Amino acid sequence: MSTPSFVDIDNDGDLDLLVGAEDAPLMQFFVNQGSNVFVADNGPIAGVTSVRDGHPHFVDLDRDGDYDLLIGGSNGRLPFYENTGSPLYLHGHATMRW
C-alpha cells in the first residue's frame, strides 16, 4: 500500500510529494514543478532508509525552520530523520524516537 505525504520541501509555494511503500526501497519523492506537474527526484531523501509499510510524515520537530521526517511502519519502529542541512535536503541522521 502506498502512503502519500505532502510538504513544500523546496519552499517554492507548492506541495511536493513523498510516497511511502509496502516495500521500503520503493519509497519515492516527487518534486512539484508547478501546476501540479510532479517529477520523480529522490535527491531530497538521499540517504533516508524507510521501513516496511512506511508512512512518512514531515514536521519541524526541532523548531529550526526546516522539515524533519518521521516514518512509521509495520515493524513498530519510528525512524526520525533530523534535517541538519538546507530546507531542501534531509542531510541528517536517523535515530529511534518512541
Side-chain angles (χ1 to χ4, degrees), residues 4-57:
S5 181
F6 289 92
V7 62
D8 184 11
I9 199 74
D10 53 9
N11 204 20
D12 65 355
D14 54 29
L15 294 175
D16 306 301
L17 173 64
L18 177 61
V19 180
E22 182 176 348
D23 189 11
L26 298 179
M27 185 170 69
Q28 184 74 44
F29 195 84
F30 296 89
V31 175
N32 188 341
Q33 299 294 311
S35 301
N36 293 322
V37 174
F38 291 88
V39 175
D41 177 4
N42 277 348
I45 58 168
V48 170
T49 302
S50 186
V51 294
R52 183 162 178 78
D53 294 322
H55 291 75
H57 184 74

